[in-house]
Amino acid sequence: MFDHIPDAFIFADLEWNLTYVNKKAEEVIRRPKESLIGKNLLTDFPRLLGTDFEAQYKKAKETGESRVFEAFFEPFNSWIEVRIYPRPDGFLVYYLDITQRKKKEISWAIGESLLWDISTSDTLISAFDKVLKTLIKNTAWTYGQIWRSKDNAVYINEEDPYVYDSDLQLVFRKESINKFFSIKEGILKKVSESGELYFIPDLAADTELKRRDAALASGFRSWLGIPILSHGRFYEIELLSERVLNAEEAYLDLLGVVSKRFAEIVSRRVADEERKALIELSSEIILSVDSDYVIRRTNSAFQRILGYERKDIKNKNLLEFLHPDDVEFTKQKVSSGSKEGFENRYITKEGKICHMSWNTVRLPDSETIFCIGRDITEEKEWNDSLRQFQKMEAVGQLAGGMAHDFNNLLNIILANLDLLELNLRETPELLKRVFSAQEAVRRGAELNRRLLAFSRKQALNPEQADVSHVISDFADILTRIRNDIVSIEFCFEDFPLICSFEKNGLENALLNLCLNSRDAMPHGGRILVSTGFSPAGKEHRSMIPGFVDMEDACIISVRDEGNGMDACVLERLFEPFFTTKESGKGTGLGMPMVYGFVKQSNGMVHVHSEIGKGTCVEIFLPLSRNPEIISENRNEKVLVLERNLKGQTYLIALLKRLGFDIFPAYDLQEAKTVLENYPEMYAIFAEEEILSENSDWEQLKNKDRIIITSEWNSKTDLGPSLKILRRPYTWTKLKKMLT
């Protein structure tokens, strides 16, 4: 009856000597009962020593209580559930083989762990790392690494994760690196086309794996390739074991499911990476904030536009970066949930005002607000300049129309006065009145002429001439504006700057500019009048409508050290009759006349002014022909030390025309290293501040080949031994210092 019971059980006496073994127990223990009866479970079975079986048998004997436990018996590669029931004369023990159930439980647990590893990883590589560690820890696989694809070949990235059990396996790793295998042939072709796992139970019997000999030499016997195919990408998880494994031990069913899940994750990761790349590459600020406007995430455009690094804005409130006057307006716009865009102002890290255009959206049932912002600062400046340009055109048309009619009236008045003069020669008193009226009409005609020049309705008499020569000939007149506290200096370019313009118009414009500069320096100072060459290209020009399209030009500059002008005055500078001078000391037509002359000559004018630092007026006249600059093929390099090379495009243009190659350097240490290796090289330090900030420059050798550029009115004392190139510098001066 006991032999036919489907459960395996045994009887043992109080000392654990076997007294009965049924038929099912023979199958579980895998020995006939004839060889078991009389044997002691604690002493006669060496493979039980040190296992849970021995411990639990002893525990039952000591306590006399029932015991139930599960244990893995490694010699049989089986899981056994054991139930021990003490009896007065010994023990009754039931055995149940639960290997299949345990394998399913373990497989499920490993699968859950793997899927958790994949789903919770921040990056794809960290997901691979976790998966490899989980597999090596919980299965018979003892080595794992990742292969990735590129140009129809797989290879190992040295930085990608791998897991190993022994130093011998490291040799296999080293032999795998820098090896490329085509996806179009062999096992890889099968794997990439089918998307199914490829399992080699025994490498010794395999003929397809190209690295079979290297794997066997490292002690491996089983091999598994798990393909991860998704979104145009191919990865392969490679697993190896020192044992010959069957399909069940290799967890093929589980890993097949995991590979499909991994492919889904890869698709999502790739989509996330592409989205992040697009967000990072965007020239617009993309950020998300919570309902309290605390910044959660933002892209790198925030730093490019506003200057703040991500560490500066972490957990900061977006409103902290706003212009104070725009805070409430912005809160109202965002909280309203309106999809209409709005504009506001931000304070950059450098303290400048940045104009931004925003679109925001709040997700349904969420506190998160997504914002996209575009920098419109240059656009607004350009629009402001364009509006100013259009306003000046409108004012010019109005002034021209009025001046034309007024000119006709003046002609009538003057003609009648001339007739009166002829008839009143015998009456001196009355004749004096006529002379006075005629002088007033002439002054009115002069004012009218300026208005007509401003409106571009006055006839021009342009001629081809060298600008530098014209100004040089007029310099004697300009020097007469000097006084005890104001001086005037000149700096002319030597090579021809031939333009088409009216000489009297240029002379009157310069005279007006120099008089304004003198009046702007009540406490004294210097005026610098210079000419130079301005190469074409938008990188050389300011943001003035139409200016970027101008070809090579002559630049005429008038600089002073006066009081300077604020933005409000600059905006109205060229308006007729606008003046900042006291009543009776200015007509408000000097600068409009300058503007009219420049426009009539197809040129451009740009004014830069800072309160307390002076004003610089630059007139650009298009060259009639290319200046006669001879480009020499010197094959020499000039080191240019400049922290912002964009500000030195004029210098770079002149150096290239002289035939020099430019070697850019961005700090003094780099410049020292280059000059120590190339002592014959010229070096131009384009900012004198670099020297004042760092005393290491004094250790430089061959100082006679170092040139320092400096402002024309700089007070910095750099010593008599250094060559100083004062701005604005000319082609001739630069050439002289380099030869």
Side-chain angles (χ1 to χ4, degrees):
M1 181 184 68
F2 285 161
D3 283 344
H4 287 85
I5 292 175
D7 296 331
F9 68 91
I10 62 170
F11 287 109
D13 61 20
L14 293 173
E15 299 300 323
W16 282 104
N17 295 307
L18 292 173
T19 59
Y20 178 77
V21 178
N22 78 341
K23 207 170 193 65
K24 189 65 176 178
E26 288 182 283
E27 296 177 14
V28 173
I29 300 174
R30 302 183 187 182
R31 287 179 62 177
K33 58 184 174 182
E34 291 80 9
S35 64
L36 296 172
I37 300 300
K39 299 289 185 180
N40 189 285
L41 282 174
L42 299 178
T43 59
D44 295 335
F45 296 90
R47 289 189 292 185
L48 293 179
L49 299 178
T51 66
D52 285 345
F53 293 94
E54 180 189 24
Q56 293 293 341
Y57 291 155
K58 289 180 177 180
K59 201 88 167 177
K61 181 178 179 180
E62 292 172 3
T63 63
E65 297 175 354
S66 300
R67 313 292 299 176
V68 179
F69 66 95
E70 296 175 355
F72 180 72
F73 192 51
E74 192 169 348
F76 296 166
N77 196 30
S78 300
W79 281 88
I80 309 294
E81 181 183 294
V82 184
R83 297 174 181 269
I84 305 173
Y85 299 100
R87 294 160 41 86
D89 57 347
F91 302 93
L92 170 62
V93 184
Y94 281 88
Y95 297 101
L96 180 62
D97 189 340
I98 59 171
T99 302
Q100 294 305 315
R101 190 192 82 197
K102 290 297 290 185
K103 283 186 176 180
K104 289 180 180 179
E105 290 177 0
I106 293 172
S107 178
W108 181 85
I110 294 173
E112 286 293 305
S113 178
L114 289 173
L115 294 179
W116 177 257
D117 292 341
I118 296 169
S119 302
T120 58
S121 299
D122 293 332
T123 64
L124 196 57
I125 294 305
S126 65
F128 278 123
D129 186 33
K130 290 180 180 179
V131 165
L132 286 174
K133 289 177 179 177
T134 298
L135 286 172
I136 302 307
K137 180 180 178 181
N138 297 285
T139 69
W141 298 108
T142 58
Y143 178 87
Q145 61 186 3
I146 304 299
W147 293 78
R148 58 171 67 204
S149 64
K150 181 180 181 182
D151 300 331
N152 292 320
V154 297
Y155 69 100
I156 289 178
N157 187 327
E158 292 187 59
E159 298 178 357
D160 284 349
Y162 67 98
V163 181
Y164 64 97
D165 267 357
S166 68
D167 292 339
L168 184 62
Q169 295 174 358
L170 288 178
V171 176
F172 182 73
R173 168 74 178 182
K174 292 178 181 177
E175 292 180 353
S176 299
I177 294 173
N178 297 326
K179 295 288 181 65
F180 286 80
F181 298 95
S182 173
I183 300 178
K184 302 293 186 181
E185 57 186 42
I187 294 176
L188 284 170
K189 185 174 187 295
K190 297 177 183 178
V191 168
S192 61
E193 290 179 352
S194 67
E196 301 296 329
L197 282 65
Y198 196 92
F199 176 52
I200 302 176
D202 188 359
L203 284 168
D206 178 67
T207 58
E208 291 196 73
L209 188 69
K210 291 185 178 180
R211 292 174 300 121
R212 167 183 172 273
D213 293 340
L216 288 171
S218 299
F220 296 121
R221 292 296 300 273
S222 288
W223 182 91
L224 176 64
I226 307 173
I228 309 296
L229 289 151
S230 180
H231 213 280
R233 295 193 183 187
F234 176 80
Y235 293 91
E236 183 186 56
I237 300 176
E238 181 181 44
L239 299 175
L240 294 105
S241 174
E242 288 92 345
R243 289 172 45 200
V244 175
L245 304 180
N246 56 39
E248 187 177 3
E249 293 172 320
Y251 288 96
L252 294 188
D253 292 339
L254 166 66
L255 295 179
V257 173
V258 168
S259 69
K260 298 295 188 293
R261 176 63 175 155
F262 217 132
E264 295 174 9
I265 300 297
V266 170
S267 293
R268 192 166 71 243
R269 296 286 183 196
V270 170
D272 288 344
E273 289 174 7
E274 290 177 350
R275 186 177 68 252
K276 289 178 181 177
L278 287 173
I279 290 174
E280 283 301 307
L281 288 172
S282 174
S283 60
E284 300 178 344
I285 295 177
I286 301 176
L287 56 82
S288 61
V289 297
D290 60 21
S291 57
D292 294 324
Y293 307 101
V294 175
I295 300 173
R296 289 182 172 176
R297 290 185 179 179
T298 185
N299 62 343
S300 56
F302 198 100
Q303 179 179 350
R304 290 198 303 271
I305 295 174
L306 299 178
Y308 300 97
E309 298 180 18
R310 282 182 173 155
K311 63 180 181 180
D312 298 329
I313 61 176
K314 187 177 181 181
N315 298 324
K316 291 290 185 67
N317 195 298
L318 182 63
L319 303 179
E320 294 180 24
F321 304 98
L322 273 168
H323 189 288
D325 295 342
D326 291 352
V327 171
E328 292 303 321
F329 165 76
T330 301
K331 289 169 67 175
Q332 178 185 356
K333 282 291 185 182
V334 174
S335 60
S336 67
S338 173
K339 293 184 179 179
E340 294 182 3
F342 63 93
E343 297 178 7
N344 58 14
R345 293 166 296 172
Y346 282 76
I347 309 296
T348 69
K349 193 171 184 179
E350 297 177 350
K352 297 179 180 178
I353 300 294
C354 179
H355 294 264
M356 298 292 299
S357 174
W358 290 96
N359 289 94
T360 63
V361 64
R362 187 192 296 267
L363 294 181
D365 303 321
S366 172
E367 295 297 316
T368 302
I369 304 166
F370 290 94
C371 313
I372 297 180
R374 181 168 59 90
D375 182 4
I376 58 171
T377 305
E378 287 189 358
E379 181 181 318
K380 286 188 74 67
E381 290 176 353
W382 194 92
N383 287 337
D384 290 343
S385 298
L386 181 60
R387 279 194 294 271
Q388 178 68 6
F389 177 79
Q390 291 170 338
K391 182 175 75 173
M392 296 303 294
E393 288 289 309
V395 171
Q397 291 177 7
L398 176 62
M402 293 173 61
H404 182 73
D405 292 339
F406 186 52
N407 205 48
N408 292 334
L409 295 175
L410 288 175
N411 285 333
I412 295 172
I413 295 170
L414 189 58
N416 282 284
L417 288 172
D418 288 343
L419 290 174
L420 283 173
E421 180 186 353
L422 293 174
N423 295 320
L424 295 175
R425 291 191 180 274
E426 303 300 328
T427 54
E429 289 298 324
L430 292 176
L431 195 59
K432 282 172 36 177
R433 305 286 184 183
V434 172
F435 289 158
S436 177
Q438 286 175 326
E439 179 61 26
V441 170
R442 291 189 186 95
R443 285 180 10 222
E446 175 61 22
L447 291 176
N448 204 53
R449 187 184 69 80
R450 296 186 183 185
L451 278 176
L452 286 170
F454 174 78
S455 63
R456 287 180 276 176
K457 290 190 175 183
Q458 181 177 337
L460 270 180
N461 296 306
E463 56 183 298
Q464 300 277 336
D466 186 335
V467 174
S468 296
H469 289 172
V470 172
I471 300 176
S472 178
D473 292 341
F474 190 61
D476 289 340
I477 303 297
L478 292 177
T479 55
R480 295 180 184 178
I481 70 168
R482 294 181 301 186
N483 56 33
D484 294 339
I485 58 174
V486 174
S487 62
I488 185 167
E489 301 171 7
F490 299 93
C491 178
F492 299 132
E493 186 60 82
D494 289 345
F495 64 80
L497 295 170
I498 311 299
C499 300
S500 178
F501 61 96
E502 187 183 53
K503 290 184 179 181
N504 289 337
L506 176 59
E507 292 170 351
N508 286 332
L510 287 174
L511 185 59
N512 273 286
L513 292 176
C514 290
L515 287 171
N516 286 343
S517 292
R518 184 192 66 183
D519 295 342
M521 296 188 290
H523 304 294
R526 288 180 292 170
I527 302 171
L528 175 65
V529 179
S530 64
T531 61
F533 169 67
S534 174
K538 63 181 180 181
E539 68 274 13
H540 303 280
R541 309 288 169 81
S542 303
M543 283 297 295
I544 303 174
F547 194 28
V548 292
D549 300 324
M550 196 174 186
E551 296 299 323
D552 290 352
C554 167
I555 178 173
I556 307 161
S557 170
V558 178
R559 305 184 182 202
D560 64 54
E561 300 175 307
N563 297 327
M565 295 176 283
D566 59 25
C568 295
V569 174
L570 277 174
E571 186 176 349
R572 303 186 60 190
L573 185 61
F574 296 114
E575 290 184 13
F577 309 114
F578 173 76
T579 180
T580 58
K581 298 177 182 179
E582 297 177 11
S583 178
K585 291 189 177 181
T587 62
L589 288 172
M591 292 306 292
M593 191 211 67
V594 173
Y595 183 86
F597 161 75
V598 173
K599 288 302 178 183
Q600 285 175 316
S601 305
N602 298 316
M604 288 287 177
V605 59
H606 179 235
V607 182
H608 176 76
S609 185
E610 293 184 49
I611 298 294
K613 294 186 178 180
T615 300
C616 177
V617 180
E618 295 175 323
I619 295 173
F620 295 83
L621 299 180
L623 291 174
S624 299
R625 58 186 178 84
N626 291 329
E628 298 174 0
I629 305 176
I630 302 173
S631 295
E632 303 175 25
N633 187 15
R634 297 174 178 272
N635 294 323
E636 295 181 40
K637 284 186 179 291
V638 175
L639 182 142
V640 178
L641 175 55
E642 166 59 57
R643 286 172 293 197
N644 181 11
L645 277 177
K646 285 186 177 180
Q648 294 298 323
T649 50
Y650 176 60
L651 171 62
I652 300 301
L654 290 184
L655 286 171
K656 287 182 177 179
R657 285 184 178 272
L658 286 171
F660 289 97
D661 290 333
I662 310 303
F663 193 105
Y666 302 98
D667 57 52
L668 195 59
Q669 190 60 43
E670 182 181 0
K672 284 179 60 179
T673 303
V674 173
L675 294 176
E676 286 173 359
N677 290 285
Y678 300 95
E680 74 284 354
M681 182 185 292
Y682 274 103
I684 300 179
F685 292 177
E687 295 179 56
E688 63 179 276
E689 291 82 4
I690 293 177
L691 303 186
S692 60
E693 293 169 2
N694 197 320
S695 60
D696 290 347
W697 68 272
E698 295 180 356
Q699 303 172 12
L700 293 172
K701 300 177 181 178
N702 297 331
K703 289 185 181 179
D704 59 321
R705 301 185 76 83
I706 294 176
I707 300 170
I708 313 298
T709 69
S710 175
E711 284 299 326
W712 67 283
N713 57 351
S714 173
K715 304 296 191 298
T716 306
D717 183 12
L718 299 173
S721 61
L722 289 176
K723 293 181 179 179
I724 309 298
L725 182 63
R726 301 287 183 184
R727 286 190 289 264
Y729 37 77
T730 65
W731 176 80
T732 308
K733 286 186 178 180
L734 182 59
K735 181 179 179 181
K736 185 177 180 181
M737 284 194 171
L738 291 170
T739 54

